[in-house]
Amino acid sequence: MTDQNTSVGSTLTVQRVRSGLARRYRLERWFRRFGMMAVALGLSFVLVLFASIGSNGISAFHQGYVRLDITLDEKTLDPAGSRDPEVIGKASYRTLVRDTLFDQFPEVTSRSDKRELTGLLSNGADFMVRDQVMENPGLVGTTHSFWVPVDDEIDMLMKGYIDRNVPEADRRVSDRMIGWVDQLEKGGYLESRFNTLFFTNGDSRDAELAGVRGALAGSMLTLVVTLLLSFPIGVATAVYLEEMAPKNRITDFIEVNINNLAAVPSIVFGLLGLAVFINFFGMPRSAPLVGGLVLTLMTLPTIIIASRAALKAVPPSIRQAALAVGASPLQTITHHVLPLALPGMLTGTIIGMAQALGETAPLLMIGMIAFIVDVPQTVTDPSTVLPVQIFLWADAPERAFVEKTSAAIMVLLGFLALMNIVAVLLRKRFETRW
Amino acid sequence: MIVRVIATTLLAGAMLAQPASAQSTRDYISVVGSSTVYPFATVVAENFGKTTNFKTPKIESTGSGGGLKLFCSGVGVQTPDITNSSRRIKASEVADCASNGVNEIVEVVIGYDGIVVANSKDAGAMSLTLKDLFLALAKNVPNPSGAKNLVPNPYSTWKDINPALPATRIEVLGPPPTSGTRDAFVELAMEGGCDAFGFIAAMKSADNNGYKTACHTVREDGAFVEAGENDNLIVQKLEANPKALGIFGFSFLDQNSDRIRGSAIDGVEPNFDSISDGSYPVSRPLYFYVKKAHVGAVPGIKEYLDEFTREDTWGEFGYLADRGLIPLPDGEREAARERILSLAPLELTKE
């Protein structure tokens, strides 16, 4: 009787399961599809972003150059023949450069036409010629071919960003200038070259001379300060809280506060930096030192939390074994626990650093949103950082800065990718599995 | 080992941090202030750095108000030497300066900036009056029936405002309230349009706050779109949407003249001449202020002023004009240069 009952019951269950089976499979398939769609959507956003940045920015890595065969007459450059760099540096290269260009277009005679013609060249052309001559004084007295960058608007024309078909009045480049450019191009005087200036120059308001070196150096100095301060402090805090501190209300309170700090908007740290470091301690504005200090405050919670997680992951047996063979608590930590937790801590630190690299808001308050031409050398020199440079270029009216902006984003993304790769490699190299 | 590593890094950090406290002099000029003046000041600074033996000045873009606050915070290398401003210094700011020991300030008017209302070249040219702009953009407008009261803005197309205008939807992209361009637009264009209505203009003396609220409040029903501080973005959006109008500084129109067209306002097209002679109604002077106490203490300030006020720089064919700055009228530049180089301090006359 009971047997029959169970068998009837089990067939009922089987039937119920069977009837619902198709539905359950369908649900699972849908769930899987939703997951895949979410991933695809995310990927497509990333792809669109990268494609638009890439297509906008790639042209910034090339720059139009014009060849000038300049006769470096000894009489004008170095009348005494001393080859003294001081004398050579003082000569008027502007006149030299312009006269060379005028010789190439003898039909251009009037003052205003000559003005227009010199508009083909970058404002930095004469300085570049001067630097080359000063580097190599042997050039004086010879005729040498110099390649100097063209003006940003001519560069835009060469890259096809300026439509030649719109009426002349509506263009920034006149018909005559286009004629000159075509003439130069035919004669082989015009060339598109890799834009080394983009990596060797600081900021400039002439788009063809603007580079990311200053911002890159600023970012690196800031990150060095951040790393040197936040890593030791973060690790020490994590070790103390995890390994040594007694469990009581005070440490609980500290823990809650650290977790809260991780969620504080970064601009608040900027305000704090302004009030404490600049106004109270009198540190200089716009300096990577202050930037680094502010970013240290911002990344500390991230590093502490990651470091504590890494310490927690070290099995207690390691500590017990060390203590059992007579190691002191400090020896246990420095000889055994810390080396094992270090890869995790490093990963956390690098992620914190990557976060700091992309930060602009707190730097706004401490004056790092600034136009700085000179590449910073020390942590107290005024400087800016990569994301700020992107922000400033995005706001520049000249059209050539559009591609510069995207190119700077590419440099920043490259930098970030590099840091993440280092994080992954470090983890792979030192990671221990139990 | 690890202890040693940590100790060394801490030591290195301490050593790196050392020069900070030793900063008692500064060998570069520190400039702060308006983001509108920033594109012009930076060009001058760069040229100054290239052509002289002085370091290139550092120019921060803090906004006019923020710049003046920093500028007035005291005398000494920690404070900026120069602040750029897209409006004149206020009496309250002069008082604030004085209370912090900043007594002698040299005022420099560098030229003019026009604010343009522009649209894509793909759309037809617009010719607007200040009154049209006010009616299109104010939150509350005079009752269309003619009664002397304010009603929520009922207009949805340009034709509703002025039969001469096209029947397209009112859609204007402009800067947010934090922007100096917005301030100037509201003060010059909206207020100008406001004054066309006698009963609102009469409020000016009787109920100044009410007058300001009526004239300065921009509608929030979607016809005016706050497009962010980035003027390039507005230009791009105008290209994508030929029906929309955008509000931004003249230099952006000048740089993008192949894509966008400035609307005539009160019958005057925005261009160099009309802004320079003052016939274009929505234009404002741009300034910078120099702390006289710093001249001589920080190297290069006098030379920077000299570079800024050269004819090659701020003149009619100077390089600032290439960037879209509208120069001072021909007769005024020389006198201004003399006054500036003699460092005559500012004296605010009560209006």
Side-chain angles (χ1 to χ4, degrees):
Chain A
M1 187 70 186
T2 43
D3 271 342
Q4 216 182 349
N5 251 351
T6 36
S7 89
V8 166
S10 69
T11 43
L12 271 178
T13 313
V14 167
Q15 272 174 359
R16 201 179 295 154
V17 167
R18 285 227 173 105
S19 66
L21 212 53
R23 203 179 125 262
R24 283 164 61 191
Y25 278 137
R26 201 168 59 237
L27 272 179
E28 192 185 322
R29 271 200 306 278
W30 271 111
F31 191 77
R32 204 178 280 208
R33 267 178 224 158
F34 270 124
M36 267 154 45
M37 277 197 284
V39 172
L41 194 68
L43 269 182
S44 65
F45 280 139
V46 170
L47 274 180
V48 167
L49 178 74
F50 279 19
S52 87
I53 291 170
S55 66
N56 275 331
I58 200 82
S59 55
F61 295 108
H62 286 272
Q63 159 73 35
Y65 276 75
V66 59
R67 194 179 90 203
L68 294 175
D69 300 323
I70 302 177
T71 308
L72 299 162
D73 191 7
E74 193 164 0
K75 260 183 251 157
T76 49
L77 286 178
D78 188 13
S82 60
R83 295 293 186 273
D84 181 4
E86 193 113 314
V87 179
I88 297 178
K90 282 242 168 75
S92 171
Y93 290 89
R94 197 175 172 79
T95 327
L96 266 179
V97 166
R98 285 166 49 149
D99 286 351
T100 312
L101 194 64
F102 295 155
D103 287 346
Q104 211 147 5
F105 296 95
E107 70 278 10
V108 179
T109 47
S110 82
R111 212 179 109 85
S112 66
D113 291 356
K114 280 186 169 177
R115 246 187 100 83
E116 202 175 337
L117 183 57
T118 44
L120 290 176
L121 297 177
S122 158
N123 276 331
D126 32 331
F127 297 97
M128 290 176 71
V129 171
R130 188 186 75 170
D131 290 349
Q132 280 187 43
V133 174
M134 282 177 73
E135 222 169 79
N136 189 358
L139 292 175
V140 177
T142 63
T143 299
H144 185 75
S145 296
F146 291 91
W147 285 93
V148 294
V150 296
D151 187 67
D152 56 333
E153 268 152 20
I154 305 301
D155 188 45
M156 290 288 103
L157 178 77
M158 286 171 70
K159 286 173 181 165
Y161 287 119
I162 290 180
D163 189 358
R164 292 174 182 227
N165 298 324
V166 298
E168 185 180 7
D170 298 343
R171 259 188 268 122
R172 296 273 304 168
V173 182
S174 68
D175 281 345
R176 214 158 30 160
M177 278 179 119
I178 293 182
W180 290 329
V181 169
D182 290 344
Q183 199 177 329
L184 282 171
E185 204 153 19
K186 236 182 243 159
Y189 285 97
L190 225 49
E191 208 174 277
S192 180
R193 299 183 149 200
F194 182 71
N195 192 357
T196 42
L197 293 176
F198 186 68
F199 295 98
T200 56
N201 272 10
D203 196 4
S204 169
R205 289 284 297 132
D206 290 308
E208 72 275 8
L209 300 175
V212 289
R213 168 122 178 257
L216 211 54
S219 272
M220 284 189 186
L221 286 169
T222 309
L223 283 188
V224 164
V225 174
T226 311
L227 183 68
L228 287 182
L229 291 170
S230 64
F231 185 63
I233 297 175
V235 170
T237 313
V239 168
Y240 176 75
L241 285 178
E242 199 58 40
E243 303 286 327
M244 298 165 172
K247 269 264 166 223
N248 58 24
R249 280 217 181 147
I250 299 174
T251 49
D252 278 351
F253 180 70
I254 291 174
E255 195 173 335
V256 168
N257 271 298
I258 289 172
N259 291 338
N260 274 339
L261 270 183
V264 167
S266 52
I267 186 94
V268 176
F269 291 110
L271 282 166
L272 185 77
L274 176 68
V276 175
F277 300 127
I278 293 180
N279 290 345
F280 186 73
F281 287 114
M283 291 181 180
R285 273 179 79 82
S286 318
L289 175 67
V290 182
L293 284 168
V294 168
L295 293 178
T296 299
L297 296 178
M298 206 196 79
T299 47
L300 261 180
T302 314
I303 294 178
I304 293 171
I305 292 167
S307 300
R308 292 189 68 179
L311 287 168
K312 273 204 190 99
V314 177
S317 53
I318 304 263
R319 295 183 185 88
Q320 286 156 3
L323 292 170
V325 295
S328 72
L330 181 69
Q331 284 173 329
T332 311
I333 291 166
T334 53
H335 295 179
H336 302 282
V337 179
L338 209 51
L340 288 173
L342 213 51
M345 292 177 167
L346 283 177
T347 314
T349 308
I350 290 175
I351 289 167
M353 289 292 120
Q355 219 176 24
L357 176 65
E359 201 58 68
T360 40
L363 304 180
L364 180 88
M365 305 310 301
I366 56 166
M368 285 184 96
I369 305 218
F371 175 74
I372 287 145
V373 174
D374 304 322
V375 177
Q377 306 294 334
T378 68
V379 290
T380 48
D381 284 349
S383 79
T384 180
V385 293
L386 269 175
V388 169
Q389 189 67 75
I390 293 167
F391 170 74
L392 289 174
W393 283 351
D395 215 17
E398 290 81 11
R399 200 173 308 166
F401 277 111
V402 174
E403 56 170 31
K404 296 274 166 191
T405 309
S406 292
I409 294 173
M410 286 159 86
V411 171
L412 179 66
L413 286 177
F415 204 160
L416 277 174
L418 199 74
M419 284 176 77
N420 283 324
I421 289 169
V422 170
V424 170
L425 287 181
L426 278 176
R427 200 169 53 213
K428 280 256 160 73
R429 175 90 173 71
F430 296 109
E431 199 175 38
T432 327
R433 287 190 186 278
W434 287 286
Chain B
M1 205 282 272
I2 301 246
V3 177
R4 219 175 305 146
V5 169
I6 292 175
T8 343
T9 43
L10 273 178
L11 202 70
M15 269 158 62
L16 266 173
Q18 202 131 64
S21 46
Q23 207 215 15
S24 54
T25 55
R26 176 151 52 74
D27 57 354
Y28 58 88
I29 302 173
S30 167
V31 184
V32 293
S34 165
S35 53
T36 312
V37 185
Y38 174 89
F40 306 123
T42 44
V43 185
V44 180
E46 194 177 346
N47 265 297
F48 171 74
K50 266 188 198 159
T51 51
T52 65
N53 290 324
F54 297 102
K55 280 199 172 177
T56 309
K58 174 192 88 179
I59 302 188
E60 282 180 49
S61 170
T62 60
S64 303
L68 280 161
K69 211 167 149 190
L70 282 169
F71 180 80
C72 289
S73 64
V75 177
V77 288
Q78 294 294 332
T79 59
D81 313 314
I82 294 175
T83 184
N84 299 321
S85 179
S86 57
R87 59 169 171 79
R88 199 159 195 225
I89 192 169
K90 292 178 193 159
S92 60
E93 285 160 339
V94 174
D96 179 37
C97 262
S99 70
N100 289 319
V102 184
N103 287 317
E104 287 187 306
I105 304 169
V106 181
E107 180 181 67
V108 180
V109 181
I110 61 169
Y112 298 93
D113 178 37
I115 295 169
V116 298
V117 180
N119 60 357
S120 161
K121 280 253 146 124
D122 298 338
M126 295 276 271
S127 180
L128 301 163
T129 61
L130 292 181
K131 192 174 148 192
D132 294 340
L133 280 172
F134 170 68
L135 289 179
L137 297 176
K139 189 172 181 191
N140 294 310
V141 294
N143 198 328
S145 69
K148 291 192 172 173
N149 64 335
L150 293 169
V151 293
N153 198 327
Y155 305 112
S156 61
T157 71
W158 290 101
K159 207 181 170 75
D160 295 346
I161 296 166
N162 183 345
L165 293 170
T168 46
R169 211 163 64 82
I170 298 172
E171 191 179 358
V172 180
L173 308 170
T178 46
S179 153
T181 310
R182 164 81 166 260
D183 287 348
F185 177 78
V186 163
E187 264 164 41
L188 296 163
M190 304 262 296
E191 221 177 285
C194 222
D195 290 344
F197 297 94
F199 76 97
I200 308 183
M203 277 162 74
K204 206 179 212 164
S205 47
D207 176 14
N208 201 305
N209 280 338
Y211 169 77
K212 286 226 160 113
T213 319
C215 297
H216 290 192
T217 316
V218 173
R219 66 198 288 185
E220 288 155 356
D221 56 359
F224 181 84
V225 184
E226 278 174 13
E229 290 265 13
N230 188 328
D231 290 355
N232 268 326
L233 207 65
I234 300 183
V235 172
Q236 283 170 19
K237 282 182 179 162
L238 288 184
E239 257 200 304
N241 179 3
K243 285 192 181 125
L245 292 175
I247 297 168
F248 40 82
F250 175 75
S251 51
F252 286 83
L253 175 66
D254 185 42
Q255 292 285 342
N256 293 287
S257 51
D258 56 337
R259 306 174 179 179
I260 49 174
R261 175 197 294 119
S263 311
I265 292 184
D266 284 350
V268 187
E269 299 266 352
N271 56 39
F272 272 92
D273 299 328
S274 63
I275 297 173
S276 179
D277 66 19
S279 60
Y280 182 75
V282 199
S283 74
R284 58 177 161 171
L286 301 177
Y287 302 84
F288 70 81
Y289 294 93
V290 186
K291 211 176 275 176
K292 199 172 171 182
H294 283 198
V295 180
V298 174
I301 296 184
K302 232 179 162 162
E303 290 78 1
Y304 177 75
L305 291 178
D306 177 64
E307 171 72 29
F308 217 121
T309 56
R310 240 175 249 268
E311 202 59 13
D312 279 350
T313 308
W314 73 348
E316 210 180 335
F317 300 106
Y319 56 77
L320 286 182
D322 288 343
R323 303 283 175 164
L325 179 79
I326 317 289
L328 293 177
D330 279 344
E332 287 176 27
R333 284 195 298 273
E334 197 151 330
R337 178 178 158 89
E338 240 164 68
R339 199 171 55 242
I340 291 157
L341 291 183
S342 70
L343 300 173
L346 161 85
E347 276 165 44
L348 275 191
T349 43
K350 283 259 183 264
E351 277 176 35

